[in-house]
């Protein structure tokens, strides 16, 4: 019924066998079982199961939380904790592993099946979202325009390579900075102090032309671009995207051609 393979990490053999029996009755395959954290990491690396059921108290030098954390960071395999421990300290440590579920012993079969089913579904959705993020990131980094995304408070959330080059800072330095602190715009005479006045109210982009941008390295560019609203359903605004291009060379060449035509 299911193609998913599950790795059981449980130091009590009777419980591990009972888990395997229940899972196989649900239609899941059990690719292996382990009683130690280090061994669980090795088997997860070799077998790449769809999901791991992990007890917290294990034999060996590392417990289930540490093993799950290392598996998440290196392999990205979802983990569900099955444990008898529900104290606050254990729960806080368990959060560091970012588990896809936390089942307390003793548990009912329906609880086990539901938790696994939801965890597998959530993991599939997370992978799809990450693939889309990588795709969109690759597209945005490949376009010739500089792209800057900001939230409602105009804090920078994303910049592509062209934006970083034009603004004179790398992505890490730009993130969470205010757009107004990073982007100094003027019309050639007066600095534009109020960027909010350039933001769109509706779905249409608000274009601008021939603005002077002074970056963090003291360089000045002439730019054309537009602000576009990021919104979800019911007209709820989530932020804005600024797209602009350096037209300094085009303006210089145009001025040269105009001069040569009239002299």
């Amino acid at each position: 019924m299911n193609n998913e393979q599950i790795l059981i990490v449980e130091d009590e053999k009777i419980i591990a066998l009972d888990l395997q029996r229940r899972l196989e009755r649900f239609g899941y395959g059990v690719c292996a079982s382990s009683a130690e954290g280090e061994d669980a990491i090795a088997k997860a690396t070799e077998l790449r199961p769809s999901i791991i059921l992990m007890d917290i108290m294990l034999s060996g030098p590392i417990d289930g939380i540490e093993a799950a954390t290392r598996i998440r960071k290196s392999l990205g395999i979802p983990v569900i904790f099955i444990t008898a421990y529900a104290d606050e300290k254990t729960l806080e440590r368990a959060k560091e592993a970012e588990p896809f579920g936390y089942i307390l012993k003793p548990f009912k079969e329906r609880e086990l099946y539901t938790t696994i089913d939801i965890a597998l579904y959530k993991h599939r959705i997370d992978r799809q979202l990450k693939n889309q993020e990588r795709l969109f990131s690759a597209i945005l980094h490949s376009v010739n325009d500089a792209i800057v995304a900001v939230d409602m408070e105009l804090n920078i959330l994303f910049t592509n390579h062209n934006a970083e080059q034009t603004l004179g800072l790398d992505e890490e330095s730009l993130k969470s900075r205010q757009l107004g602190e990073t982007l100094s715009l003027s019309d050639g005479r007066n600095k534009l102090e109020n960027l909010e006045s350039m933001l769109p109210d509706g779905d249409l982009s608000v274009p601008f032309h021939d603005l002077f941008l002074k970056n963090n390295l003291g360089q000045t560019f002439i730019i054309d671009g537009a602000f576009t609203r990021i919104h979800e359903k019911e007209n709820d605004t989530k932020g804005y995207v600024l797209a602009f291009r350096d037209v300094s060379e085009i303006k210089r060449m145009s001025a040269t051609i105009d001069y040569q035509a009239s002299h």
Side-chain angles (χ1 to χ4, degrees):
M1 182 173 62
N2 297 310
N3 296 320
E4 289 86 356
Q5 293 294 309
I6 299 178
L7 172 63
I8 297 172
V9 185
E10 168 63 63
D11 64 344
E12 293 189 32
K13 193 168 183 179
I14 293 177
I15 295 178
L17 289 172
D18 180 60
L19 266 176
Q20 180 172 347
R21 177 181 56 80
R22 296 189 192 197
L23 293 170
E24 289 173 347
R25 189 160 61 240
F26 291 147
Y28 294 114
V30 176
C31 59
S33 62
S34 177
E36 297 186 1
E38 293 285 1
D39 182 61
I41 295 170
K43 286 181 176 174
T45 304
E46 177 188 357
L47 301 173
R48 301 298 174 106
S50 307
I51 198 166
I52 299 172
L53 301 183
M54 178 86 70
D55 191 10
I56 288 179
M57 297 303 294
L58 299 173
S59 304
I62 68 172
D63 65 5
I65 294 176
E66 184 176 345
T69 302
R70 287 166 57 178
I71 288 170
R72 174 183 60 80
K73 289 180 178 178
S74 61
L75 302 174
I77 299 172
V79 172
I80 294 174
F81 287 124
I82 298 182
T83 178
Y85 293 87
D87 59 280
E88 196 66 30
K89 185 177 179 181
T90 302
L91 288 172
E92 285 302 313
R93 282 192 61 227
K95 290 177 185 177
E96 298 174 6
E98 299 179 12
F100 279 65
Y102 198 100
I103 302 175
L104 290 176
K105 300 175 182 177
F107 52 85
K108 296 180 179 179
E109 282 195 354
R110 179 51 53 180
E111 180 185 3
L112 176 65
Y113 175 78
T114 303
T115 304
I116 293 173
D117 192 45
I118 291 175
L120 288 169
Y121 173 77
K122 183 177 182 297
H123 183 56
R124 283 195 297 269
I125 296 300
D126 285 351
R127 278 192 307 183
Q128 291 173 6
L129 290 174
K130 286 177 182 177
N131 288 337
Q132 288 182 345
E133 286 176 2
R134 283 193 287 266
L135 173 62
F136 292 144
S137 179
I139 293 171
L140 292 173
H141 280 290
S142 66
V143 298
N144 291 326
D145 285 3
I147 306 291
V148 181
V150 298
D151 62 17
M152 291 295 295
E153 286 72 42
L154 301 188
N155 297 308
I156 295 174
L157 303 174
F158 170 85
T159 55
N160 70 352
H161 181 64
N162 282 345
E164 294 157 24
Q165 283 193 317
T166 305
L167 297 176
L169 289 171
D170 59 29
E171 184 179 13
E172 288 305 314
S173 301
L174 287 167
K175 273 186 178 178
S176 298
R177 289 184 60 164
Q178 274 276 332
L179 185 63
E181 298 173 2
T182 309
L183 200 69
S184 177
L185 296 176
S186 72
D187 59 7
R189 297 181 301 276
N190 302 312
K191 183 178 179 181
L192 303 181
E193 300 288 353
N194 186 16
L195 290 179
E196 285 81 359
S197 63
M198 301 174 65
L199 301 177
D201 291 327
D203 292 338
L204 296 178
S205 299
V206 175
F208 57 83
H209 302 282
D210 300 341
L211 291 184
F212 288 79
L213 181 153
K214 186 175 182 180
N215 72 6
N216 293 272
L217 302 176
Q219 300 168 317
T220 301
F221 305 91
I222 304 174
I223 62 170
D224 290 348
F227 280 95
T228 304
R229 187 168 66 102
I230 305 171
H231 66 92
E232 293 184 353
K233 60 183 180 180
E234 299 177 356
N235 215 30
D236 185 19
T237 302
K238 294 299 182 183
Y240 303 91
V241 171
L242 166 63
F244 62 92
R245 69 192 66 86
D246 177 11
V247 296
S248 306
E249 184 63 19
I250 295 173
K251 293 296 181 182
R252 187 191 66 78
M253 291 175 64
S254 178
T256 301
I257 291 170
D258 288 345
Y259 178 83
Q260 290 174 346
S262 59
H263 288 75

